[in-house]
Amino acid sequence: SLLDKIRGSAVIEGEAGAITQHIGATAVPLDTVSRVAGSLVDPDDFDLPGLLFIDTPGHHSFTTLRSRGGALADIAILVVDVTDGFQPQTIEAIDHARAADVPIVVAINKIDKPEANPERVKQQLADVGLVIEEWGGDVICVPVSAKKKQGINDLLENILVLAEVIELKAETDCPAEGVVIEAKLDKSRGPAATLLVQRGALKFGDILVAGD
């Protein structure tokens, strides 16, 4: 639902139980990010074409997909439901991000709810060694509400600034290299795959080699 608000879609409505059921990737151009973030983000301030979001399920059944998503990311955005607090899969997602050695940005979601207590989540973060900037640490933490569209502009600005600070860049003038995010059998087209190109440029007609 948070990603739907960023990209202006309603994908979550088609998912069983209104939760992400599979891993997927969405490229969001910088002008779209700027429109969502409003005056906080000026595209001219950032040397990036946009953001690529790899959406992984938060439900406890999807351990493998979270592991794969965490290993692919440059920045991990940990979404924590403020009413539920930490779940076993929250700890697991943090472990995946740490194993991949990627910085973690925390989005505390559903802060529009009357019973919301973000301080409890902040303490839970500290208990596992993720000390937020507000408490003297280095972990970016943004309270958001996907439903009310609150704080999403702050979240996007922080992601862009962090991407600039850690200098996320890749060669483009070379053969493409990357990873398969997801593969499936399409009834009309046969085997199909979603690829994440991590360096180089992929062109029509290129020959791909995967696996062994």
Side-chain angles (χ1 to χ4, degrees), residues 17 63-64 89 107 117 126 128 130 136 146 151 153 162 164 173 176:
T63 298
T64 304
Q89 58 266 33
N117 180 12
V128 295
L130 292 177
N153 49 1
L162 180 57
E164 291 278 300
D173 189 21

Side-chain angles (χ1 to χ4, degrees), residues 23 56-57 62-73 92-93 95-97 99-100:
I23 190 169
T56 60
F62 297 98
T63 298
T64 304
L65 295 187
R66 274 193 298 281
S67 174
R68 197 186 317 161
L72 299 178
E92 176 203 292
D95 289 342
H96 290 323

Side-chain angles (χ1 to χ4, degrees), residues 24 31 36 101 110 123 135 178 181 186 193-194 196 206:
D31 58 349
V36 174
D101 195 26
K110 300 187 181 179
Q123 183 58 59
W135 289 11
I181 293 180
D186 187 289
T194 302
L196 174 63
D206 284 355

Side-chain angles (χ1 to χ4, degrees), residues 91-127:
I91 303 293
E92 176 203 292
I94 292 170
D95 289 342
H96 290 323
R98 282 174 166 162
D101 195 26
V102 296
I104 298 173
V105 174
V106 180
I108 303 179
N109 195 21
K110 300 187 181 179
I111 59 158
D112 58 289
K113 294 201 168 186
E115 68 272 27
N117 180 12
E119 297 305 310
R120 177 176 69 122
V121 175
K122 293 173 185 178
Q123 183 58 59
Q124 290 175 319
L125 290 166
D127 291 342

Side-chain angles (χ1 to χ4, degrees), residues 18-84:
I19 60 171
T20 303
Q21 299 284 328
H22 59 277
I23 190 169
T26 303
V28 183
L30 200 56
D31 58 349
T32 301
V33 173
S34 175
R35 187 166 64 252
V36 174
S39 60
L40 289 181
V41 173
D42 182 346
D44 293 335
D45 291 340
F46 299 96
D47 185 25
L48 292 168
L51 297 174
L52 181 77
F53 290 95
I54 302 170
D55 187 22
T56 60
H59 192 270
H60 63 81
S61 302
F62 297 98
T63 298
T64 304
L65 295 187
R66 274 193 298 281
S67 174
R68 197 186 317 161
L72 299 178
D74 296 309
I75 297 171
I77 304 168
L78 179 70
V79 183
V80 183
D81 184 325
V82 73
T83 56
D84 292 341

Side-chain angles (χ1 to χ4, degrees), residues 24 132 174 178 180-181:
I132 64 172
C174 61
V180 177
I181 293 180

